[in-house]
Amino acid sequence: MKESRWNSEANWNTPAPGELELVRRFLNTWRIDADTREPADELPWLLKDRRAWEERFPTRPPGDPDGDAGELLVRLREDLRGALGAPEGWTEALNGWLEGYPLVARVVEENRGASVRYEPGPEAGLAGRVLAAVARSVEDGTFFRLKACPDCRWVFYDKSRSKTRVWCGMYAGEGGRACGTISKVRRYRQRHKAGE
Ligand SMILES: [Zn+2]
């Protein structure tokens, strides 16, 4: 019991593997604030704070002449959040973005064989790197482990063997939230009410 509690607390912010973590961080620049319950968007101030940007994203910060425009990033973030959970039609928006940010195929030697990797074009910026990471993760299946909590919309990486995790966390603490527990209590109350 104690161990599972610890796991839940730690899990809310488990990094996604490789470059997919960049995607997770990018998607979490928008969230529902725990206290106010209002949507909070970090992109506007991140776009203006070069140092904060570089800490969050190891990529050229916008504001450079050919950097990604903020509006474009907001749209990309919306579309990618909309693709989480692979709802009907999720590939359409993604393919639209990939047309605008063509990936470069590279053959990479591996042990005695080789594999093909897709990388963003040299001028692609954050949007291109995010899209390249999404494409790779769709191919290896890790993209489908990226999920948004139904309550607070926090994007977490589902490491569970069964891939059935729904909530960002069960217990609040260290920035994590208790969305799973809150939902349980809510369901319990509803059942209780219905039984009255
Ligand atoms: Zn949550």
Side-chain angles (χ1 to χ4, degrees):
M1 187 64 199
K2 206 175 177 188
E3 197 192 350
S4 72
R5 182 189 163 116
W6 184 84
N7 279 338
S8 298
E9 275 177 353
N11 273 347
W12 72 275
N13 208 16
T14 299
E19 284 266 292
L20 190 57
E21 175 62 5
L22 186 74
V23 179
R24 198 183 71 92
R25 284 190 198 184
F26 172 58
L27 295 182
N28 280 330
T29 55
W30 183 94
R31 67 182 91 171
I32 305 284
D33 186 88
D35 300 321
T36 64
R37 307 293 303 161
E38 295 288 330
D41 190 349
E42 293 180 315
L43 263 185
W45 69 261
L46 275 171
L47 287 163
K48 289 183 192 133
D49 188 334
R50 193 185 173 104
R51 181 182 275 185
W53 179 275
E54 284 172 339
E55 272 172 27
R56 191 86 60 100
F57 310 111
T59 177
R60 183 182 58 216
D64 287 6
D66 52 352
D68 299 308
E71 207 179 295
L72 181 132
L73 288 175
V74 167
R75 268 195 291 127
L76 176 61
R77 188 179 60 190
E78 267 171 31
D79 284 349
L80 289 179
R81 275 184 165 269
L84 295 179
E88 211 184 308
W90 70 281
T91 55
E92 271 169 49
L94 191 54
N95 282 329
W97 281 100
L98 287 169
E99 272 168 36
Y101 290 86
L103 302 178
V104 179
R106 284 193 199 287
V107 184
V108 187
E109 278 188 80
E110 258 177 10
N111 299 320
R112 285 179 191 176
S115 66
V116 179
R117 280 196 203 148
Y118 298 96
E119 293 173 5
E123 296 302 320
L126 180 66
R129 277 190 67 177
V130 162
L131 284 161
V134 167
R136 274 183 236 134
S137 67
V138 166
E139 195 171 61
D140 69 18
T142 50
F143 179 73
F144 307 101
R145 286 181 177 270
L146 219 50
K147 299 175 180 181
C149 174
D151 192 352
C152 71
R153 310 303 297 156
W154 176 260
V155 175
F156 62 91
Y157 185 73
D158 180 2
K159 266 179 106 172
S160 72
R161 188 183 285 247
S162 56
K163 304 180 196 170
T164 51
R165 211 174 121 199
V166 174
W167 307 100
C168 61
M170 296 300 281
Y171 302 95
E174 289 185 34
R177 301 182 199 194
C179 293
T181 306
I182 292 165
S183 154
K184 255 190 206 166
V185 170
R186 202 181 292 141
R187 278 202 308 263
Y188 172 81
R189 284 199 188 131
Q190 275 165 358
R191 264 206 313 269
H192 194 69
K193 232 179 177 176
E196 265 174 2

